[in-house]
Amino acid sequence: WSSFPSASVAWRISDEGFMSETSSWLDNLKLRLGHGVSGTASIDPYSSLTRTATKTTNLSLGGSTSLPMYTPTEHISNPDLTWERSTNTNVGLDFAVLKNRIEITAEYYWTKTDGILWDRRLPTSSGGFDAKTPYKKTSNIAVSENKGFEVAVNIRNIDTENFKWNTSFTFTTAKEKLTNIDLGNLSVSQ
């Protein structure tokens, strides 16, 4: 197990005294800041252990009874395996005007992910689970950075008792960069 701390703060600027003259048209102006760490749980929980599988074969030691044979499963243990950890920081601004008829949310984020998990195929000289399946070892092999900007605009065009018309626009841009990858004896850094 591991711990993944996070924290966030927000300042509702529209509630401040110096913003009182905008209350007739400004419903919400909030600045947000968040920072936290998360871990990936999308792998087999026992990837750091070697398990065995039972195969029945016609192997016999002079009798006619088939004997069970125990072999490692396709995944070989990795005692150095750690959590894939993503550290994320985001800054956002929420803005609502005209009795919340127009709402805008904008957010900039950046994430650094350490220890990206990958099933590394072992050389066939190490044997294999069967004739077609080489052994694999889950390893932490890479570091990446992800930065992006998101904007969402929600508009209540018509809002009556009998008819409602809402319009939403979303814009997102993201850029991911692999900053380091361990290729065994080769290591690529930038």
Side-chain angles (χ1 to χ4, degrees), residues 127-180:
F129 179 67
D130 57 33
K132 295 181 181 178
T133 312
Y135 287 124
K136 294 178 186 175
K137 182 162 101 172
T138 304
S139 302
N140 303 95
I141 68 160
V143 177
S144 72
E145 290 179 356
N146 188 350
K147 297 177 182 179
F149 182 71
E150 299 175 350
V151 177
V153 178
N154 297 307
I155 303 169
R156 287 187 297 151
N157 304 49
I158 299 174
D159 191 6
T160 65
E161 186 176 320
N162 296 326
F163 184 75
K164 295 187 187 301
W165 173 22
N166 297 328
T167 304
S168 296
F169 300 99
T170 304
F171 172 79
T172 302
T173 180
K175 183 178 181 181
E176 186 160 12
K177 181 178 179 181
L178 191 61
T179 58
N180 188 326

